[in-house]
Coordinates of all heavy atoms in Angstrom, one line a residue:
A1 N 19.0 -22.6 11.5 CA 18.2 -21.4 11.5 C 16.8 -21.6 11.1 O 15.9 -20.9 11.5 CB 18.9 -20.3 10.7
A2 N 16.6 -22.5 10.1 CA 15.2 -22.7 9.6 C 14.3 -23.2 10.7 O 13.1 -22.9 10.8 CB 15.3 -23.7 8.4
Q3 N 14.8 -24.1 11.6 CA 14.0 -24.6 12.7 C 13.6 -23.5 13.6 O 12.5 -23.4 14.1 CB 14.8 -25.7 13.4 CG 14.0 -26.3 14.6 CD 14.8 -27.4 15.3 OE1 16.0 -27.6 15.1 NE2 14.2 -28.0 16.3
E4 N 14.6 -22.6 14.0 CA 14.3 -21.5 14.9 C 13.3 -20.6 14.2 O 12.4 -20.0 14.9 CB 15.6 -20.8 15.3 CG 16.5 -21.7 16.1 CD 16.0 -22.2 17.3 OE1 14.9 -21.7 17.9 OE2 16.5 -23.2 17.9
Q5 N 13.4 -20.4 12.9 CA 12.5 -19.5 12.2 C 11.1 -20.0 12.3 O 10.2 -19.3 12.6 CB 12.9 -19.4 10.7 CG 11.9 -18.5 9.9 CD 12.2 -18.5 8.4 OE1 13.0 -19.3 7.9 NE2 11.6 -17.6 7.7
A6 N 10.9 -21.3 12.1 CA 9.6 -22.0 12.2 C 9.1 -21.8 13.6 O 7.9 -21.5 13.8 CB 9.7 -23.4 11.8
T7 N 9.9 -22.1 14.6 CA 9.5 -22.0 16.0 C 9.0 -20.5 16.3 O 7.9 -20.4 16.9 CB 10.6 -22.4 16.9 OG1 11.0 -23.7 16.6 CG2 10.2 -22.2 18.4
L8 N 9.8 -19.6 15.9 CA 9.4 -18.2 16.3 C 8.2 -17.7 15.5 O 7.4 -17.0 16.0 CB 10.6 -17.2 16.0 CG 11.8 -17.4 17.0 CD1 13.0 -16.6 16.6 CD2 11.4 -17.1 18.4
T9 N 8.1 -18.1 14.2 CA 7.0 -17.8 13.4 C 5.7 -18.4 14.0 O 4.7 -17.7 14.1 CB 7.1 -18.3 11.9 OG1 8.3 -17.6 11.4 CG2 5.9 -17.9 11.1
A10 N 5.8 -19.6 14.5 CA 4.6 -20.3 15.1 C 4.2 -19.5 16.4 O 3.1 -19.6 16.8 CB 4.9 -21.7 15.4
K11 N 5.2 -18.8 17.0 CA 4.9 -18.1 18.2 C 4.4 -16.7 17.9 O 4.3 -15.8 18.8 CB 6.1 -18.1 19.1 CG 6.4 -19.4 19.7 CD 7.6 -19.4 20.6 CE 7.8 -20.8 21.2 NZ 8.9 -20.8 22.2
G12 N 4.2 -16.3 16.6 CA 3.7 -15.0 16.3 C 4.7 -14.0 15.8 O 4.3 -12.8 15.6
F13 N 5.9 -14.3 15.8 CA 6.9 -13.3 15.3 C 7.0 -13.3 13.8 O 6.8 -14.3 13.1 CB 8.3 -13.7 15.9 CG 8.4 -13.6 17.4 CD1 8.2 -14.7 18.2 CD2 8.7 -12.3 17.9 CE1 8.3 -14.6 19.6 CE2 8.8 -12.2 19.3 CZ 8.6 -13.3 20.1
R14 N 7.3 -12.1 13.3 CA 7.4 -11.9 11.9 C 8.9 -11.9 11.5 O 9.6 -11.0 12.0 CB 6.8 -10.5 11.4 CG 6.8 -10.3 9.9 CD 6.0 -9.1 9.5 NE 6.5 -7.9 10.1 CZ 7.3 -7.1 9.6 NH1 7.8 -7.3 8.4 NH2 7.7 -6.0 10.2
I15 N 9.3 -12.9 10.8 CA 10.7 -13.0 10.4 C 10.9 -12.4 9.0 O 10.2 -12.8 8.0 CB 11.1 -14.5 10.3 CG1 10.7 -15.2 11.6 CG2 12.6 -14.6 10.0 CD1 11.4 -14.7 12.9
T16 N 11.8 -11.4 8.8 CA 11.9 -10.8 7.6 C 13.0 -11.3 6.7 O 13.0 -11.2 5.5 CB 12.1 -9.2 7.7 OG1 13.3 -9.0 8.5 CG2 10.9 -8.6 8.4
D17 N 14.0 -12.0 7.4 CA 15.1 -12.5 6.6 C 15.9 -13.6 7.5 O 15.9 -13.4 8.7 CB 16.1 -11.4 6.2 CG 17.1 -11.8 5.2 OD1 16.9 -12.9 4.5 OD2 18.2 -11.1 5.0
V18 N 16.4 -14.5 6.8 CA 17.3 -15.5 7.5 C 18.5 -15.7 6.7 O 18.5 -15.8 5.5 CB 16.6 -16.9 7.6 CG1 17.5 -18.0 8.2 CG2 15.3 -16.8 8.4
G19 N 19.7 -15.6 7.3 CA 20.9 -15.7 6.6 C 22.0 -16.3 7.5 O 21.7 -16.8 8.6
T20 N 23.2 -16.3 7.0 CA 24.4 -16.8 7.7 C 25.2 -15.7 8.2 O 25.6 -14.8 7.4 CB 25.2 -17.8 6.8 OG1 24.3 -18.8 6.3 CG2 26.4 -18.4 7.5
A21 N 25.6 -15.7 9.5 CA 26.5 -14.7 10.0 C 27.9 -14.7 9.4 O 28.3 -15.8 9.0 CB 26.6 -14.8 11.5
M22 N 28.5 -13.6 9.3 CA 29.8 -13.5 8.7 C 30.9 -14.1 9.7 O 32.0 -14.5 9.3 CB 30.2 -12.1 8.4 CG 29.3 -11.5 7.3 SD 29.4 -9.7 7.0 CE 31.1 -9.5 6.8
N23 N 30.6 -14.1 11.0 CA 31.5 -14.7 12.0 C 30.8 -15.8 12.7 O 29.6 -15.9 12.7 CB 31.9 -13.6 13.0 CG 32.6 -12.4 12.3 OD1 33.5 -12.6 11.5 ND2 32.1 -11.2 12.6
S24 N 31.6 -16.6 13.4 CA 31.1 -17.6 14.3 C 30.8 -17.0 15.7 O 31.5 -16.2 16.2 CB 32.1 -18.7 14.5 OG 32.3 -19.4 13.3
Y25 N 29.7 -17.4 16.3 CA 29.3 -16.9 17.6 C 29.2 -18.1 18.5 O 28.5 -19.1 18.2 CB 27.9 -16.2 17.5 CG 28.0 -14.9 16.8 CD1 28.0 -14.8 15.4 CD2 28.0 -13.7 17.6 CE1 28.1 -13.5 14.8 CE2 28.1 -12.5 16.9 CZ 28.1 -12.4 15.6 OH 28.2 -11.2 14.9
T26 N 29.8 -18.0 19.7 CA 29.7 -19.0 20.7 C 28.3 -19.0 21.4 O 27.8 -20.1 21.6 CB 30.8 -18.8 21.8 OG1 32.1 -18.7 21.1 CG2 30.8 -19.9 22.8
T27 N 27.9 -17.8 21.7 CA 26.6 -17.7 22.3 C 25.6 -16.9 21.4 O 26.0 -16.1 20.6 CB 26.7 -17.0 23.7 OG1 27.2 -15.7 23.5 CG2 27.5 -17.7 24.6
S28 N 24.3 -17.2 21.6 CA 23.3 -16.5 20.8 C 23.1 -15.1 21.4 O 23.2 -14.8 22.6 CB 22.0 -17.2 20.9 OG 22.1 -18.5 20.4
I29 N 23.0 -14.1 20.5 CA 22.8 -12.7 20.8 C 21.6 -12.1 20.1 O 21.4 -12.4 19.0 CB 24.1 -11.9 20.4 CG1 25.3 -12.5 21.1 CG2 23.9 -10.4 20.8 CD1 26.6 -11.8 20.6
I30 N 20.9 -11.3 20.9 CA 19.7 -10.6 20.3 C 20.1 -9.1 20.3 O 20.2 -8.5 21.3 CB 18.4 -10.8 21.1 CG1 18.1 -12.3 21.1 CG2 17.3 -10.0 20.5 CD1 17.0 -12.7 21.9
Y31 N 20.4 -8.6 19.1 CA 20.7 -7.2 18.9 C 19.4 -6.4 18.7 O 18.4 -6.9 18.1 CB 21.6 -6.9 17.7 CG 22.9 -7.5 17.8 CD1 23.3 -8.7 17.2 CD2 23.9 -6.9 18.6 CE1 24.6 -9.2 17.3 CE2 25.2 -7.4 18.7 CZ 25.5 -8.6 18.0 OH 26.8 -9.1 18.1
Y32 N 19.3 -5.2 19.3 CA 18.0 -4.5 19.1 C 18.3 -3.0 19.0 O 19.3 -2.5 19.6 CB 17.0 -4.7 20.2 CG 17.5 -4.3 21.6 CD1 17.3 -3.1 22.1 CD2 18.3 -5.2 22.4 CE1 17.7 -2.7 23.4 CE2 18.8 -4.9 23.6 CZ 18.5 -3.6 24.1 OH 18.9 -3.3 25.4
K33 N 17.5 -2.3 18.2 CA 17.6 -0.8 18.1 C 17.1 -0.1 19.3 O 16.4 -0.7 20.1 CB 16.8 -0.3 16.9 CG 17.3 -0.8 15.5 CD 16.7 -0.1 14.3 CE 15.2 0.0 14.3 NZ 14.7 0.4 13.1
A34 N 17.5 1.1 19.4 CA 17.1 1.9 20.6 C 15.5 1.9 20.6 O 14.9 1.9 19.6 CB 17.5 3.4 20.4
N35 N 15.0 1.8 21.8 CA 13.6 1.8 22.1 C 12.9 0.5 21.7 O 11.7 0.4 21.7 CB 12.9 3.0 21.4 CG 13.4 4.3 21.8 OD1 13.6 4.5 23.0 ND2 13.6 5.2 20.9
Y36 N 13.7 -0.6 21.5 CA 13.1 -1.9 21.1 C 13.5 -3.0 22.1 O 13.4 -4.1 21.8 CB 13.4 -2.3 19.7 CG 12.6 -1.5 18.7 CD1 13.1 -0.3 18.2 CD2 11.4 -2.0 18.2 CE1 12.4 0.5 17.3 CE2 10.7 -1.2 17.3 CZ 11.1 0.0 16.9 OH 10.4 0.7 16.0
E37 N 13.9 -2.6 23.3 CA 14.4 -3.6 24.3 C 13.2 -4.5 24.7 O 13.4 -5.7 24.8 CB 15.0 -2.9 25.5 CG 15.5 -3.9 26.5 CD 16.2 -3.3 27.7 OE1 16.3 -2.0 27.8 OE2 16.7 -4.0 28.5
A38 N 12.0 -4.0 24.8 CA 10.9 -4.8 25.2 C 10.6 -5.9 24.2 O 10.4 -7.0 24.5 CB 9.6 -3.9 25.4
Q39 N 10.7 -5.5 22.9 CA 10.5 -6.5 21.8 C 11.6 -7.5 21.8 O 11.4 -8.7 21.6 CB 10.5 -5.8 20.5 CG 9.2 -5.0 20.3 CD 9.3 -3.6 20.8 OE1 10.1 -3.3 21.7 NE2 8.4 -2.7 20.4
A40 N 12.9 -7.1 22.1 CA 14.0 -8.0 22.2 C 13.8 -9.0 23.3 O 14.1 -10.2 23.2 CB 15.3 -7.2 22.4
Q41 N 13.3 -8.5 24.4 CA 13.0 -9.4 25.6 C 12.0 -10.5 25.2 O 12.0 -11.6 25.7 CB 12.6 -8.6 26.8 CG 13.7 -7.8 27.4 CD 13.3 -6.8 28.5 OE1 12.1 -6.5 28.6 NE2 14.3 -6.3 29.2
L42 N 11.0 -10.1 24.4 CA 10.0 -11.1 24.0 C 10.6 -12.2 23.1 O 10.3 -13.3 23.3 CB 8.9 -10.4 23.2 CG 7.9 -9.5 24.0 CD1 7.0 -8.7 23.0 CD2 7.1 -10.3 25.0
V43 N 11.5 -11.8 22.2 CA 12.2 -12.7 21.4 C 13.1 -13.6 22.3 O 13.1 -14.9 22.2 CB 13.1 -12.1 20.3 CG1 14.0 -13.1 19.6 CG2 12.3 -11.3 19.4
A44 N 13.8 -13.0 23.3 CA 14.6 -13.8 24.2 C 13.8 -14.8 25.0 O 14.2 -16.0 25.1 CB 15.3 -12.9 25.2
A45 N 12.6 -14.4 25.4 CA 11.7 -15.4 26.2 C 11.3 -16.5 25.3 O 11.1 -17.6 25.8 CB 10.5 -14.6 26.7
A46 N 11.1 -16.3 24.0 CA 10.6 -17.3 23.1 C 11.8 -18.2 22.5 O 11.5 -19.3 22.0 CB 9.9 -16.7 21.9
F47 N 13.0 -17.7 22.7 CA 14.2 -18.4 22.1 C 15.0 -18.9 23.3 O 15.5 -18.2 24.1 CB 15.0 -17.5 21.2 CG 16.2 -18.1 20.7 CD1 16.2 -19.0 19.7 CD2 17.4 -17.7 21.2 CE1 17.3 -19.5 19.2 CE2 18.6 -18.3 20.7 CZ 18.6 -19.2 19.7
Q48 N 15.2 -20.2 23.3 CA 16.1 -20.8 24.3 C 15.8 -20.4 25.8 O 16.7 -20.2 26.6 CB 17.6 -20.5 24.1 CG 18.2 -21.2 22.9 CD 19.7 -21.0 22.9 OE1 20.2 -19.9 22.9 NE2 20.4 -22.1 22.9
D49 N 14.5 -20.3 26.0 CA 14.1 -19.9 27.4 C 14.8 -18.7 28.0 O 15.2 -18.6 29.1 CB 14.4 -21.1 28.4 CG 13.6 -22.3 27.9 OD1 12.4 -22.2 27.5 OD2 14.1 -23.5 28.0
G50 N 15.1 -17.7 27.1 CA 15.7 -16.4 27.6 C 17.2 -16.5 27.8 O 17.7 -15.6 28.4
K51 N 17.9 -17.5 27.3 CA 19.3 -17.6 27.5 C 20.1 -16.7 26.6 O 21.3 -16.5 26.9 CB 19.7 -19.0 27.4 CG 19.1 -19.9 28.5 CD 19.5 -21.4 28.3 CE 18.8 -22.2 29.3 NZ 19.0 -23.7 29.0
A52 N 19.6 -16.2 25.5 CA 20.3 -15.4 24.6 C 20.7 -14.0 25.3 O 19.9 -13.5 26.0 CB 19.6 -15.1 23.3
K53 N 21.8 -13.5 25.0 CA 22.3 -12.2 25.5 C 21.6 -11.1 24.7 O 21.5 -11.1 23.5 CB 23.8 -12.1 25.3 CG 24.4 -10.8 25.8 CD 25.9 -10.8 25.5 CE 26.5 -9.5 25.8 NZ 27.9 -9.4 25.5
L54 N 21.1 -10.1 25.4 CA 20.6 -8.9 24.8 C 21.6 -7.8 24.7 O 22.4 -7.6 25.6 CB 19.4 -8.4 25.7 CG 18.2 -9.2 25.8 CD1 17.2 -8.6 26.7 CD2 17.6 -9.5 24.4
Q55 N 21.7 -7.2 23.5 CA 22.7 -6.2 23.2 C 22.1 -5.1 22.4 O 21.7 -5.3 21.2 CB 23.8 -6.9 22.4 CG 25.0 -6.0 22.0 CD 25.8 -5.6 23.3 OE1 26.1 -6.4 24.1 NE2 26.1 -4.3 23.4
P56 N 22.0 -3.9 22.9 CA 21.6 -2.7 22.1 C 22.6 -2.4 21.1 O 23.8 -2.4 21.3 CB 21.4 -1.6 23.1 CG 22.3 -2.0 24.3 CD 22.4 -3.5 24.3
S57 N 22.2 -2.2 19.8 CA 23.1 -2.0 18.8 C 22.4 -1.5 17.5 O 21.3 -1.9 17.2 CB 23.9 -3.2 18.5 OG 24.8 -3.1 17.3
D58 N 23.1 -0.7 16.7 CA 22.5 -0.4 15.4 C 22.7 -1.5 14.4 O 22.3 -1.4 13.2 CB 23.2 0.9 14.9 CG 22.8 2.1 15.6 OD1 21.7 2.1 16.2 OD2 23.5 3.1 15.6
I59 N 23.4 -2.6 14.7 CA 23.6 -3.7 13.8 C 22.3 -4.3 13.4 O 22.2 -5.0 12.3 CB 24.5 -4.8 14.5 CG1 25.1 -5.7 13.4 CG2 23.8 -5.5 15.5 CD1 26.1 -6.7 13.9
A60 N 21.2 -4.1 14.1 CA 19.9 -4.7 13.8 C 19.3 -4.1 12.5 O 18.4 -4.6 11.9 CB 19.0 -4.5 14.9
Q61 N 19.8 -2.9 12.1 CA 19.3 -2.3 10.9 C 19.2 -3.2 9.7 O 20.1 -4.0 9.5 CB 20.1 -1.1 10.5 CG 20.3 0.0 11.6 CD 19.0 0.8 11.8 OE1 18.1 0.8 11.0 NE2 19.0 1.5 12.9
P62 N 18.2 -3.2 8.9 CA 17.0 -2.4 9.0 C 15.9 -3.0 9.9 O 14.9 -2.4 10.1 CB 16.5 -2.3 7.6 CG 16.8 -3.7 7.0 CD 18.2 -4.0 7.7
A63 N 16.1 -4.1 10.5 CA 15.2 -4.7 11.4 C 15.2 -4.0 12.8 O 16.2 -3.3 13.1 CB 15.5 -6.2 11.6
D64 N 14.2 -4.2 13.5 CA 14.2 -3.6 14.9 C 14.9 -4.5 15.9 O 15.6 -4.0 16.8 CB 12.7 -3.5 15.4 CG 11.9 -2.5 14.5 OD1 12.5 -1.6 13.9 OD2 10.7 -2.8 14.3
V65 N 14.9 -5.8 15.6 CA 15.5 -6.8 16.5 C 16.2 -7.8 15.6 O 15.6 -8.3 14.6 CB 14.5 -7.5 17.4 CG1 15.1 -8.6 18.2 CG2 13.8 -6.5 18.3
L66 N 17.4 -8.2 15.9 CA 18.2 -9.2 15.1 C 18.6 -10.3 16.0 O 19.3 -10.1 17.0 CB 19.4 -8.5 14.5 CG 20.4 -9.4 13.8 CD1 19.8 -10.1 12.5 CD2 21.6 -8.6 13.4
L67 N 18.3 -11.5 15.7 CA 18.7 -12.7 16.5 C 19.9 -13.4 15.8 O 19.7 -13.8 14.6 CB 17.5 -13.7 16.7 CG 17.9 -15.1 17.2 CD1 18.5 -15.0 18.6 CD2 16.6 -16.0 17.2
V68 N 21.0 -13.5 16.4 CA 22.1 -14.2 15.9 C 22.2 -15.5 16.7 O 22.4 -15.5 17.9 CB 23.5 -13.4 16.0 CG1 24.6 -14.2 15.5 CG2 23.3 -12.1 15.3
I69 N 22.1 -16.6 16.0 CA 22.1 -17.9 16.7 C 23.5 -18.4 16.8 O 24.2 -18.6 15.8 CB 21.2 -18.9 15.9 CG1 19.8 -18.4 15.8 CG2 21.2 -20.3 16.6 CD1 18.9 -19.2 14.9
G70 N 23.9 -18.6 18.1 CA 25.3 -19.1 18.3 C 25.3 -20.6 18.5 O 24.3 -21.3 18.4
A71 N 26.6 -21.1 18.7 CA 26.8 -22.5 18.9 C 26.0 -23.1 20.1 O 25.7 -24.3 20.1 CB 28.3 -22.8 19.1
D72 N 25.7 -22.3 21.1 CA 25.0 -22.8 22.2 C 23.6 -23.2 21.8 O 23.0 -24.2 22.3 CB 24.9 -21.7 23.3 CG 24.2 -20.4 22.9 OD1 24.2 -20.1 21.7 OD2 23.7 -19.7 23.7
A73 N 23.0 -22.6 20.8 CA 21.7 -23.0 20.3 C 21.8 -24.4 19.6 O 20.9 -25.2 19.7 CB 21.1 -22.0 19.4
T74 N 22.8 -24.5 18.8 CA 23.1 -25.8 18.1 C 23.2 -26.9 19.1 O 22.6 -28.0 18.9 CB 24.3 -25.7 17.2 OG1 24.2 -24.6 16.3 CG2 24.5 -26.9 16.4
S75 N 24.0 -26.7 20.1 CA 24.2 -27.7 21.1 C 22.9 -28.1 21.8 O 22.6 -29.3 22.0 CB 25.2 -27.3 22.2 OG 26.4 -27.0 21.6
S76 N 22.0 -27.1 22.2 CA 20.8 -27.5 22.8 C 19.8 -28.1 21.9 O 19.0 -29.0 22.3 CB 20.2 -26.2 23.5 OG 19.8 -25.3 22.5
A77 N 19.8 -27.8 20.6 CA 18.9 -28.4 19.6 C 19.3 -29.9 19.4 O 18.5 -30.7 19.3 CB 19.0 -27.6 18.3
E78 N 20.6 -30.2 19.4 CA 21.1 -31.5 19.2 C 20.8 -32.4 20.4 O 20.6 -33.6 20.3 CB 22.6 -31.5 19.0 CG 23.0 -30.9 17.6 CD 24.4 -30.8 17.4 OE1 25.2 -31.0 18.4 OE2 24.8 -30.4 16.3
S79 N 20.7 -31.8 21.6 CA 20.4 -32.6 22.8 C 18.9 -32.9 23.0 O 18.5 -33.6 23.9 CB 21.0 -32.0 24.0 OG 20.4 -30.7 24.3
R80 N 18.0 -32.3 22.2 CA 16.6 -32.5 22.4 C 16.2 -33.9 21.9 O 16.6 -34.5 21.0 CB 15.8 -31.4 21.6 CG 15.9 -30.1 22.3 CD 15.0 -29.1 21.6 NE 15.7 -27.9 21.5 CZ 15.4 -26.8 20.8 NH1 14.3 -26.9 20.1 NH2 16.0 -25.8 20.7

């Protein structure tokens, strides 16, 4: 997560918190609050070439957009 945080910060995104998900995720998901789909799409474009799934949800609270890094991101990072 720290590597992705550095990458997104370098691309101009403001990261408010980094933590560990309570569950394991196979694929990366970008959750976003209502009216923040455009911002979620920007994150998706900057993360894994847009491969993360976009999902509207209140789970992003208090952030507008929440990126959950799944096992697919780990696999792609290891292959670089």
Side-chain angles (χ1 to χ4, degrees):
Q3 180 181 5
E4 298 301 342
Q5 177 185 14
T7 299
L8 291 172
T9 300
K11 292 182 178 184
F13 292 94
R14 185 172 58 94
I15 310 297
T16 58
D17 193 16
V18 176
T20 301
M22 294 170 50
N23 300 310
S24 295
Y25 288 81
T26 304
T27 58
S28 299
I29 302 173
I30 300 172
Y31 294 104
Y32 61 93
K33 293 191 315 190
N35 301 318
Y36 285 90
E37 184 174 3
Q39 290 85 342
Q41 289 173 344
L42 289 172
V43 173
F47 176 76
Q48 285 192 306
D49 300 321
K51 295 177 186 171
K53 178 182 174 184
L54 294 176
Q55 180 69 46
S57 175
D58 288 337
I59 196 172
Q61 300 287 348
D64 300 326
V65 176
L66 171 69
L67 168 61
V68 177
I69 301 172
D72 59 338
T74 304
S75 298
S76 65
E78 290 173 355
S79 65
R80 287 185 223 171

